[in-house]
């Protein structure tokens, strides 16, 4: 009918419509029109039949009225429709874990059965790996075939009596697998390879999972030679994705933690050039290793490898790799919340990948560490979206906050000084820790809490400043000691009384069960530094000085560079009056400790720490009018770290040519598409230097004193370091 013109199809269509109407409504007569019937009559007849079809019959209405659903059926229907997307994954995970447990439970019985098969007179399960190792020693002049034959005979007892050879052809694949894994569990790869040689000699093929188990053992230990020797012997043909991943993992594990795995990256590009790119998990592992390295160059190469992977091998990254890159945006200097949100949007909206808790936590952390109030609020909005969205029919959320979620929110709240949110988050963590043992309030959490108290700015309340006679105020101030002047400090008032209670809970062994305790918080140098920062910001300098002297000695901890630098910077911003007298004693004590710390070869002090310490020292001496001592300190700094050492660019080995070549090529063992340029890579090895901002107070004091020679020297120092830094940057870009 489809091949006839439309003009000749209408009789057939009309006939079919009449037949359908007759079947549905048998009581209504249907008289088909003859070819001689006029077209108008046929049209009216079709209209009448169509209207008849639109009217439901009594039977249909009765059947429709009989269809009802109970509440249980409706709940089951909506539970199925609104089921969480990870329910199936959780079931699969639990089933796999259960199967893993069952496999472990059956392992001993399999080993016992295997031992009885290998030797009927075996009294119990023995260390088969040690036994094989003992029997596979090659005697002088013995050939490989003789070694194999001698290995097939297992002694029956310590007396050394021979026993019949092992019936290798009767061992099943499960028994070979149990024997190989038993050898690997005893860290005996030689016996595992011997077992695989037996397997091949018996005519069986070494299956992939057995070879992968042995390769995984070498990969965990970074044994490149052992792995490649095993691959030449037992792995034939093209490597699978799992085997390529293990090969690259071995090279990545062979280097020291925190360094760039150059051999693993070269192997990754070699697989690409061969037309067999490594799986995405291998790229994720190399990128993670690059981000773990404390080098801006390594971080830039990680971003370049990410873009290169999407251009060469996998255009769409998975949720794990997206989460990894989003989290990396939080630890740049400064943080990059815009890039993190772009990646999160690309993952969830553009690519349609369901967000994971790791992705949410990474995006929240990137926004929180920016320090901007706008992005901190965006972090809290993402946390609310994470908890409120993705609910099932019963209102249960797919995601729940974990320790990383709470830490990310604390990072944002402390940077904007939102003490109310910090205390709310801490209360939520304490409540959640009672239900989830993985959520604990440890020293990291309390460090963020103490930083929040230090950044908090108490609001001004006019009611707290009552009017008084000026004569009475002057008389009270003149007769008061420096300690009494700060007696009403915010540290002694709410909410700072709460933080003192927090620290008392940390350092005191509570025996009263009615009071809350923090058993997982251990006092460290970083925690004490955070606690001291509260007193630097809100308490009197005398009280902070007392705590500086006693806190670390009480807990038998050493002061680090941050401890001394923060003390020097607090003294450098001492207010006029009696506080500067206290600051003089405090600064001299802190500077003496800094000198000992800097001269101690066993303790590492970074260049930025040296710069901050000398800047604070020069500023304090300038504020107290000791201009000659400030100039002497500046000359001492220039003598130790002259501008000439800054001119020298970093070593070429730290910046390989592959990083500086930005031209895109279609082949080559290097990233083809990059996300960074040489200008984006920061220099991590700049020696200590001073700028005009560090010497501004000294410059003003020299102008007030009319010391032209001192002014000229300060100007020369600033320009010398500035010019040396400029030449260093130019030389770096020309490498």
């Amino acid at each position: 009918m489809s091949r006839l013109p439309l003009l000749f199809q209408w009789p057939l269509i009309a006939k079919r419509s009449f037949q359908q109407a007759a079947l549905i409504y048998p009581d209504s007569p249907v008289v088909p029109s003859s070819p001689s019937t006029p077209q108008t009559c046929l049209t009216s007849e079709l209209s009448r039949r169509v209207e008849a079809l639109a009217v439901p019959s009594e039977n249909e209405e009765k059947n429709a009225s009989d269809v009802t659903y109970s509440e249980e059926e409706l709940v089951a229907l909506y539970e199925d429709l609104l089921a969480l997307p990870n329910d199936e994954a959780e079931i699969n995970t639990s089933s796999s874990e259960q199967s893993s447990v069952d496999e472990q439970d059956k392992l001993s019985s399999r080993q016992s059965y295997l031992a009885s098969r290998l030797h009927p007179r075996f009294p119990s399960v023995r260390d088969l790996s040690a036994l094989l190792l003992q029997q596979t020693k090659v005697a002088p002049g013995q050939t490989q075939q003789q070694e194999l034959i001698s290995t097939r005979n297992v002694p029956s007892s310590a007396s050394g009596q021979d026993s019949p050879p092992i019936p290798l052809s009767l061992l099943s694949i499960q028994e070979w697998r149990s024997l190989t894994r038993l050898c690997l569990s005893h860290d005996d790869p030689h016996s595992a390879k011997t077992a695989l040689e037996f397997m091949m000699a018996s005519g069986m093929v070494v299956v992939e999972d057995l070879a992968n188990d042995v390769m995984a053992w070498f990969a965990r230990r970074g044994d490149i030679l052992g792995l490649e020797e095993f691959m030449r012997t037992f792995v034939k043909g093209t490597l699978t994705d799992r085997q390529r991943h293990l090969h690259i993992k071995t090279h990545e594990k062979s280097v020291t933690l925190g360094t760039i795995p150059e051999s693993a990256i070269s192997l990754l590009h070699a697989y690409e050039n061969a037309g067999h790119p490594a799986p995405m998990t291998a790229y994720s592992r190399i990128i993670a290793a690059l981000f773990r390295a404390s080098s801006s160059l390594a971080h830039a190469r990680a971003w370049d490898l990410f873009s290169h992977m999407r251009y060469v091998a996998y255009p769409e990254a998975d949720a794990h790799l997206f989460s990894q890159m989003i989290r990396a945006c939080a630890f740049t200097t400064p943080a990059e919340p815009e890039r993190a949100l772009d990646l999160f949007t690309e993952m969830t909206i553009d690519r349609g990948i369901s967000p994971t808790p790791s992705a949410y936590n990474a995006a929240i952390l990137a926004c929180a560490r920016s320090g901007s109030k706008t992005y901190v609020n965006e972090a809290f909005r993402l946390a609310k979206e994470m908890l409120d969205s993705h609910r099932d029919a019963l209102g249960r959320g797919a995601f729940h906050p974990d320790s990383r979620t709470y830490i990310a929110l604390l990072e944002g709240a402390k940077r904007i000084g939102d003490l109310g949110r910090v205390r709310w988050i801490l209360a939520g963590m304490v409540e959640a820790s009672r239900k989830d043992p993985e959520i604990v309030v440890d020293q990291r959490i309390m460090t963020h809490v103490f930083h929040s108290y230090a950044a908090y700015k108490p609001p001004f309340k006019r009611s707290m400043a009552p009017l008084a006679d000026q004569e009475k105020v002057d008389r009270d101030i003149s007769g008061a000691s420096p300690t009494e002047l700060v007696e009403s400090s915010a540290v002694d008032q709410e909410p700072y009384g709460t933080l003192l209670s927090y620290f008392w809970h940390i350092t005191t062994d509570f025996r009263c069960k009615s009071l809350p305790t923090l058993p997982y918080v251990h006092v460290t140098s970083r925690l004490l530094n955070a606690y001291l920062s509260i007193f630097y910001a809100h308490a009197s300098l005398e009280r902070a000085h007392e705590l500086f002297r006693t806190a670390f000695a009480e807990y038998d901890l050493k002061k680090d560079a941050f401890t001394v630098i923060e003390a020097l910077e607090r003294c450098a911003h001492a207010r006029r009056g009696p506080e500067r007298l206290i600051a003089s004693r405090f600064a001299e004590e802190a500077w003496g400790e800094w000198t000992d710390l800097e001269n101690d070869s066993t303790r590492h002090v970074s260049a930025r720490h040296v710069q901050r310490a000398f800047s604070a020292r020069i500023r304090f001496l300038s504020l107290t009018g000791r201009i000659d001592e400030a100039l002497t300190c500046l000359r001492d700094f220039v003598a130790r770290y002259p501008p000439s050492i800054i001119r020298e660019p970093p070593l070429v080995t730290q910046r390989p040519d592959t990083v500086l070549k930005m031209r895109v090529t279609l082949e080559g063992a290097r990233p083809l598409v990059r996300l960074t340029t040489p200008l984006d890579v920061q220099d991590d090895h700049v020696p200590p230097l001073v700028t005009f901002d560090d010497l501004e107070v000294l410059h003003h004091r020299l102008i007030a004193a009319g010391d032209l020679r001192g002014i000229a020297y300060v100007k020369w120092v600033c320009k010398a370091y500035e010019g040396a830094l400029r030449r260093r940057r130019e030389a770096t870009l020309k490498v």
Side-chain angles (χ1 to χ4, degrees):
M1 183 179 65
S2 59
R3 297 181 180 180
L4 296 176
L6 183 61
L7 179 62
F8 299 100
Q9 294 181 15
W10 66 266
L12 300 177
I13 297 174
K15 183 178 180 181
R16 180 174 297 178
S17 301
F18 294 151
Q19 292 174 355
Q20 293 177 356
L23 291 174
I24 298 175
Y25 302 103
D27 298 336
S28 177
V30 179
V31 182
S33 61
S34 61
S36 61
T37 304
Q39 186 175 1
T40 55
C41 297
L42 180 60
T43 304
S44 61
E45 184 68 20
L46 286 175
S47 300
R48 188 175 66 83
R49 299 308 180 190
V50 171
E51 292 177 358
L53 290 173
V55 178
S57 64
E58 295 180 358
N59 296 333
E60 291 179 349
E61 293 180 353
K62 184 178 180 181
N63 294 334
S65 61
D66 294 341
V67 179
T68 58
Y69 295 96
S70 62
E71 292 294 334
E72 292 77 7
E73 293 174 343
L74 289 175
V75 170
L77 176 63
Y78 282 107
E79 284 182 352
D80 184 55
L81 292 175
L82 300 176
L84 299 177
N86 60 343
D87 286 345
E88 184 178 356
E90 291 178 358
I91 293 174
N92 295 336
T93 304
S94 61
S95 62
S96 62
E97 291 177 356
Q98 184 64 30
S99 62
S100 150
V101 172
D102 296 341
E103 184 70 20
Q104 292 294 333
D105 294 339
K106 296 177 182 178
L107 182 60
S108 59
S109 60
R110 288 180 180 176
Q111 294 173 359
S112 178
Y113 174 72
L114 177 62
S116 62
R117 292 286 306 275
L118 292 176
H119 198 282
R121 288 171 289 178
F122 229 46
S124 61
V125 178
R126 299 279 300 276
D127 188 353
L128 297 180
S129 62
L131 185 60
L132 288 174
L133 182 63
Q134 178 182 0
Q135 294 298 316
T136 52
K137 295 180 180 179
V138 184
Q142 189 177 14
T143 63
Q144 183 179 5
Q145 183 65 22
Q146 293 173 345
E147 176 192 1
L148 180 61
I149 295 174
S150 63
T151 309
R152 295 188 182 185
N153 298 324
V154 182
S156 58
S157 61
S159 59
Q161 298 178 0
D162 295 336
S163 61
I166 302 173
L168 295 176
S169 59
L170 300 180
L171 294 180
S172 65
I173 186 64
Q174 294 296 336
E175 293 170 343
W176 286 116
R177 184 177 288 107
S178 300
L179 178 61
T180 305
R181 291 177 178 175
L182 178 64
C183 297
L184 295 177
S185 65
H186 288 79
D187 294 334
D188 189 1
H190 178 71
S191 298
K193 292 190 293 184
T194 304
L196 295 182
E197 290 176 356
F198 288 163
M199 185 177 180
M200 296 174 62
S202 65
M204 300 184 66
V205 179
V206 178
V207 294
E208 180 184 345
D209 61 339
L210 278 178
N212 292 347
D213 290 341
V214 182
M215 292 177 65
W217 188 92
F218 287 110
R220 286 192 298 269
R221 289 155 179 80
D223 188 356
I224 300 176
L225 297 178
L227 177 71
E228 293 180 348
E229 180 184 357
F230 176 83
M231 291 170 57
R232 288 191 296 268
T233 306
F234 296 97
V235 181
K236 307 299 181 182
T238 305
L239 299 180
T240 62
D241 289 345
R242 174 64 177 168
Q243 292 170 350
R244 286 194 292 271
H245 170 77
L246 292 174
H247 193 191
I248 295 174
K249 178 182 176 181
T250 308
H251 283 261
E252 185 264 329
K253 286 284 188 179
S254 63
V255 299
T256 308
L257 185 65
T259 58
I260 299 178
E262 296 289 353
S263 61
I265 297 175
S266 301
L267 181 61
L268 196 70
H269 293 313
Y271 278 126
E272 294 171 354
N273 295 334
H276 302 286
M280 192 180 301
T281 53
Y283 286 93
S284 300
R285 172 171 289 275
I286 299 301
I287 290 175
L290 290 172
F291 279 130
R292 283 195 300 266
S294 57
S295 170
S296 299
L297 175 61
H299 297 173
R301 296 183 67 177
W303 284 104
D304 292 341
L305 185 60
F306 175 68
S307 62
H308 169 80
M309 180 207 72
R310 303 187 70 179
Y311 179 77
V312 173
Y314 304 99
E316 295 187 5
D318 56 4
H320 174 72
L321 186 54
F322 267 119
S323 303
Q324 191 173 340
M325 304 309 296
I326 293 172
R327 184 174 178 83
C329 298
F331 295 98
T332 57
T333 306
E336 297 178 328
E338 300 92 345
R339 173 183 275 187
L341 293 177
D342 288 343
L343 289 172
F344 187 78
T345 303
E346 180 186 357
M347 168 187 168
T348 56
I349 305 299
D350 300 340
R351 304 296 179 182
I353 302 175
S354 300
T356 60
S358 299
Y360 270 116
N361 291 337
I364 293 170
L365 183 63
C367 293
R369 287 179 62 91
S370 65
S372 172
K373 191 172 183 180
T374 302
Y375 286 108
V376 171
N377 293 333
E378 179 66 16
F380 279 90
R381 188 200 66 79
L382 286 173
K384 180 177 176 59
E385 175 186 329
M386 170 184 173
L387 301 180
D388 293 344
S389 60
H390 311 288
R391 293 186 178 273
D392 59 4
L394 300 179
R396 296 173 299 186
F399 309 122
H400 302 282
D402 53 8
S403 296
R404 290 191 174 186
T405 309
Y406 288 114
I407 291 175
L409 294 176
L410 285 174
E411 288 273 5
K414 79 174 185 180
R415 278 171 167 78
I416 61 175
D418 194 342
L419 189 58
R421 281 180 173 175
V422 170
R423 299 176 69 178
W424 171 70
I425 294 170
L426 181 61
M429 284 200 68
V430 174
E431 182 66 23
S433 63
R434 300 173 182 174
K435 302 177 182 179
D436 189 356
E438 295 183 358
I439 299 178
V440 295
V441 180
D442 54 5
Q443 57 270 15
R444 297 179 302 165
I445 302 298
M446 295 310 301
T447 299
H448 293 313
V449 173
F450 290 158
H451 285 161
S452 305
Y453 277 95
Y456 175 70
K457 296 181 180 180
F460 174 74
K461 296 181 180 180
R462 189 172 296 275
S463 60
M464 298 179 62
L467 297 177
D469 295 337
Q470 186 65 29
E471 296 180 359
K472 182 178 179 181
V473 173
D474 296 340
R475 184 171 59 255
D476 293 341
I477 293 178
S478 61
S481 63
T483 306
E484 295 174 351
L485 288 175
V486 295
E487 190 65 29
S488 60
S489 175
V491 175
D492 299 324
Q493 300 176 359
E494 182 66 24
Y496 295 98
T498 307
L499 74 91
L500 296 177
S501 176
Y502 288 158
F503 195 77
W504 192 61
H505 286 187
I506 294 172
T507 58
T508 305
D509 183 14
F510 278 97
R511 297 182 180 179
C512 180
K513 298 182 180 179
S514 61
L515 294 176
T517 58
L518 302 173
Y520 296 100
V521 179
H522 303 285
V523 180
T524 60
S525 298
R526 185 178 181 184
L527 182 65
L528 288 180
N529 290 339
Y531 187 63
L532 272 172
S533 65
I534 304 172
F535 290 84
Y536 293 151
H538 303 287
S540 64
L541 190 59
E542 183 179 9
R543 190 172 181 182
H545 185 199
E546 179 183 359
L547 190 64
F548 176 83
R549 290 181 300 179
T550 59
F552 289 86
E554 181 178 355
Y555 296 100
D556 195 19
L557 294 173
K558 292 184 178 181
K559 299 174 184 177
D560 55 10
F562 280 105
T563 309
V564 183
I565 289 173
E566 290 180 354
L568 290 172
E569 290 178 346
R570 176 62 182 90
C571 295
H573 292 83
R575 293 182 291 269
R576 292 181 179 178
E579 187 175 83
R580 288 192 178 174
L581 298 178
I582 302 173
S584 298
R585 299 191 298 270
F586 193 3
E588 293 300 329
E589 179 181 348
W591 183 252
E593 295 189 9
W594 168 259
T595 303
D596 298 338
L597 182 65
E598 188 179 12
N599 296 331
D600 189 357
S601 59
T602 61
R603 306 181 69 178
H604 173 71
V605 179
S606 67
R608 304 287 76 79
H609 291 164
V610 175
Q611 181 176 335
R612 289 176 58 184
F614 274 90
S615 299
R617 175 67 174 174
I618 294 172
R619 177 185 173 87
F620 170 76
L621 294 175
S622 302
L623 284 177
T624 55
R626 300 153 64 179
I627 301 177
D628 294 337
E629 295 183 23
L631 286 173
T632 303
C633 183
L634 179 59
R635 291 189 177 93
D636 184 24
F637 177 84
V638 174
R640 291 187 180 185
Y641 312 100
S644 58
I645 64 175
I646 300 180
R647 300 193 192 103
E648 302 175 2
L651 299 177
V652 179
T653 55
Q654 298 171 354
R655 287 180 174 270
D657 295 339
T658 57
V659 175
L660 299 179
K661 293 179 181 178
M662 302 306 300
R663 183 172 58 87
V664 177
T665 60
L666 296 180
E667 61 180 10
R670 64 182 183 84
L672 306 182
V673 179
R674 303 180 183 277
L675 292 179
T676 58
T677 64
L679 295 176
D680 298 329
V681 182
Q682 299 180 0
D683 192 350
D684 299 327
H685 306 279
V686 179
L689 55 89
V690 291
T691 61
F692 182 77
D693 293 337
D694 303 324
L695 306 178
E696 184 177 4
V697 178
L698 176 60
H699 187 263
H700 292 338
R701 292 295 188 271
L702 291 172
I703 293 176
D707 190 348
L708 299 180
R709 295 185 60 183
I711 295 173
Y713 180 73
V714 170
K715 182 178 179 180
W716 174 82
V717 169
C718 295
K719 291 298 181 180
Y721 281 108
E722 181 181 351
L725 189 62
R726 185 187 304 110
R727 283 190 288 272
R728 178 188 180 92
R729 185 175 182 82
E730 293 174 353
T732 300
L733 296 179
K734 292 179 181 179
V735 172

